[in-house]
Amino acid sequence: MGNVAAIVLAAGKGTRMKSDLVKVMHLLGERPMITWPVGVARAVGASRIALVVGHQGEKVREYFAGDAGILFAEQSEQLGTGHAVACARGALEGFSGTVLILCGDVPLIREETLAAMLASHGARGATVSVLTTHLENPYGYGRVVKREGGRLVRIVEEKDATDDERSITEINSGIYCVEADFLFRAVGELKNDNAQGEYYLTDIIARAAEESLLCLAHPCGDASEVMGVNDRVQLAMAGGELRRRINSGLMLSGVTMIDPDATYVEAGVTIGRDTVLYPNVHLSGATTIGSGCLLEPGVIVRDCRIGNGVTIKAGSVLAESSVGDEAAIGPMAHLRPGSSLGAHVKIGNFVETKKIVMGDGSKASHLTYLGDAEIGSEVNIGCGTITCNYDGVRKHRTVIGDNVFVGSDVQFVAPVVVGSGSLIAAGTTVTRDVPPDSLAIARTPQVNKDGWVKKQREK
Ligand code: UD1
Ligand code: CA
């Protein structure tokens, strides 16, 4: 394939979104909508990608700041798609080759489809290729007008079309491949003498046809790929389509989903085979899940590495953490950033962890807070244990050796170090280091007052 650059049109406001946020920054599959066409342009090898921005252009610029290969073109007044492309001329200065034109609000286009269009465009020596599709109800779209013999001659907008032209069901997706030298010459000469008073990009096709340059309609069989997002109903539909694609891919690779319509996995998350996902599981970011895991309903995992054979029970929330093989988490556990748990670890209900390392086989089964701690292997943390890591000014660490048994309702007032093999008696507030293989106990002695309650009652 030759030299490819891309232009993504994204200057429009998106009035029908009824939003304070510009349309292309609305989230689709957890990322701004515009990142999808940008990603596909990159995947098919676009060396430079020019984003035409206008409404809230600063938000788009900010999002892509520092991203090499992304250039910006300002279109301060939206005078039409042809004018928008003309605005990108400076950003692609000096480029010669094929320009891929995409829309920021047509996010579901697939890499394979664009690669095939680029390949046939190149192989047949076309000047313009238009991605088209057939719609039962083509209302609102530009119609693809062909001469007898099937040669593409022009595209006519709904508002400018004759009744005959309106009956055409092949529509313009708004996605094109155009040779750069022709493109920038043609958009520079557009007129706006049409029903909407706009500079139509689509008019470059009639222009190329007049000059006897080859124009191709490249049909796309899957209409969902060229679906535009104009309002929030379509945004939700696009989200559903994206989910179906991601989930089908995962299921075909060996992941079981009880209800794929209610399973939310961000693109890029990897999951091993024979892992089972129950409804309302949300997996996002740089997350990898091993094989043979079970994730119960309502589990939320972001930026985590989960080993093999791990069970995560209902309602647990995990972020920026790692979990070893065969561990069991939850129900209702909260692993906050920086939790690194070994193999066969058990974290039970209402346990919260943050910035901890926990060795293999250790357990904290109930109602516990472990923060800024280093816990060895085969440690038992009793119910109600708390690491008091914060003195109001600074955070301090708790270090617990291997094979320590911590009874229920223990507080570790950090900084404190507990040697391996020790026993901390229930109810103890640990304020000093504990040597290895020792018992630490700190309780006020119990007093029993015989018959005291009875006497009170009889008063
Ligand atoms: C356009 C096509 C139509 C096609 C349809 C597919 C033209 C004249 N018509 O129509 O044939 O069927 O897309 O969805 O091109 N934009 C700018 N600046 C502008 C105008 C638009 O950046 O001045 C951007 C919009 O933000 C949007 C895209 O270009 O991302 C398409 O613009 P829109 O106004 O939606 O075009 P349509 O009228 O739908
Ligand atoms: Ca549109």
Side-chain angles (χ1 to χ4, degrees):
M1 217 171 282
N3 230 357
V4 178
I7 297 175
V8 182
L9 304 184
K13 181 176 177 191
T15 309
R16 282 172 283 171
M17 295 298 281
K18 306 269 169 69
S19 177
D20 293 336
L21 180 66
V22 65
K23 176 162 72 176
V24 294
M25 291 304 288
H26 276 257
L27 297 186
L28 175 66
E30 320 216 10
R31 339 182 156 154
M33 191 178 344
I34 191 170
T35 62
W36 294 99
V38 167
V40 174
R42 197 163 259 161
V44 297
S47 52
R48 283 193 254 173
I49 302 174
L51 310 187
V52 181
V53 297
H55 282 282
Q56 293 180 9
E58 70 288 351
K59 292 214 165 101
V60 183
R61 285 172 193 266
E62 195 184 317
Y63 183 84
F64 287 101
D67 191 332
I70 304 284
L71 306 161
F72 295 94
E74 190 76 31
Q75 187 196 25
S76 40
E77 240 187 313
Q78 280 72 59
L79 303 178
T81 49
H83 178 254
V85 168
C87 290
R89 179 186 217 137
L92 297 187
E93 186 80 62
F95 173 79
S96 77
T98 305
V99 180
L100 187 59
I101 302 171
L102 300 170
C103 290
D105 61 352
V106 182
L108 296 178
I109 184 71
R110 284 181 203 265
E111 177 188 339
E112 296 83 341
T113 304
L114 288 189
M117 175 159 82
L118 276 166
S120 97
H121 178 86
R124 297 181 59 186
T127 297
V128 185
S129 294
V130 184
L131 189 70
T132 69
T133 196
H134 286 273
L135 293 183
E136 229 168 88
N137 175 13
Y139 180 80
Y141 287 93
R143 308 297 207 285
V144 174
V145 183
K146 289 174 171 170
R147 202 182 292 150
E148 266 169 67
R151 215 181 160 94
L152 175 58
V153 288
R154 65 188 187 109
I155 287 173
V156 61
E157 294 304 297
E158 174 85 32
K159 288 180 176 143
D160 302 292
T162 63
D163 286 347
D164 267 0
E165 287 166 339
R166 286 200 182 103
S167 70
I168 298 170
T169 58
E170 186 173 11
I171 61 103
N172 168 27
S173 69
I175 292 172
Y176 319 80
C177 300
V178 192
E179 290 311 293
D181 48 355
F182 170 78
L183 177 66
F184 291 117
R185 174 165 62 83
V187 293
E189 294 167 3
L190 289 173
K191 298 211 164 61
N192 65 350
D193 51 352
N194 51 53
Q196 302 185 84
E198 289 181 6
Y199 296 94
Y200 289 165
L201 176 59
T202 44
D203 286 349
I204 68 169
I205 286 138
R207 179 61 185 268
E210 278 161 24
E211 294 183 19
S212 301
L213 297 168
L214 183 61
C215 298
L216 298 175
H218 187 88
C220 171
D222 179 359
S224 79
E225 285 189 51
V226 301
M227 163 196 176
V229 173
N230 295 306
D231 57 35
R232 296 188 203 229
V233 174
Q234 290 170 331
L235 180 65
M237 280 165 58
E241 177 57 30
L242 195 60
R243 205 150 56 236
R244 272 187 290 284
R245 282 186 195 174
I246 293 169
N247 290 354
S248 305
L250 288 167
M251 289 187 285
L252 292 173
S253 74
V255 176
T256 294
M257 294 185 186
I258 305 302
D259 181 359
D261 289 337
T263 304
Y264 306 85
V265 182
E266 192 180 343
V269 169
T270 65
I271 308 177
R273 57 197 280 168
D274 294 318
T275 283
V276 179
L277 306 183
Y278 274 75
N280 281 315
V281 162
H282 291 249
L283 308 177
S284 64
T287 292
T288 64
I289 311 268
S291 58
C293 293
L294 171 65
L295 274 62
E296 289 188 356
V299 165
I300 300 174
V301 182
R302 175 177 58 77
D303 296 324
C304 287
R305 210 172 62 243
I306 309 293
N308 300 320
V310 172
T311 299
I312 309 180
K313 292 184 188 157
S316 297
V317 177
L318 292 71
E320 296 171 43
S321 292
S322 67
V323 177
D325 295 345
E326 307 291 333
I329 310 295
M332 274 84 71
H334 190 185
L335 305 194
R336 291 170 51 206
S339 302
S340 171
L341 311 181
H344 297 277
V345 156
K346 184 178 176 215
I347 295 290
N349 47 195
F350 308 110
V351 173
E352 174 183 344
T353 67
K354 190 214 70 181
K355 281 196 189 154
I356 67 160
V357 176
M358 201 174 199
D360 295 351
S362 289
K363 295 182 174 65
S365 299
H366 334 265
L367 277 175
T368 284
Y369 172 64
L370 301 171
D372 299 299
E374 201 175 300
I375 298 163
S377 55
E378 303 296 336
V379 170
N380 181 83
I381 304 283
C383 177
T385 294
I386 294 171
T387 52
C388 310
N389 57 335
Y390 187 49
D391 61 11
V393 182
R394 257 171 295 168
K395 300 280 175 69
H396 301 281
R397 296 185 65 73
T398 300
V399 178
I400 299 174
D402 297 339
N403 298 298
V404 169
F405 185 95
V406 179
S408 296
D409 189 29
V410 166
Q411 299 86 45
F412 292 98
V413 181
V416 72
V417 177
V418 178
S420 59
S422 288
L423 172 68
I424 313 296
T428 296
T429 299
V430 181
T431 53
R432 287 186 290 129
D433 290 356
V434 179
D437 302 310
S438 307
L439 169 70
I441 180 164
R443 298 176 191 152
T444 32
Q446 181 173 335
V447 177
N448 288 344
K449 299 192 174 178
D450 284 354
W452 187 90
V453 174
K454 193 166 177 234
K455 267 184 255 158
Q456 290 292 315
R457 250 195 323 260
E458 288 166 357
K459 253 190 193 165

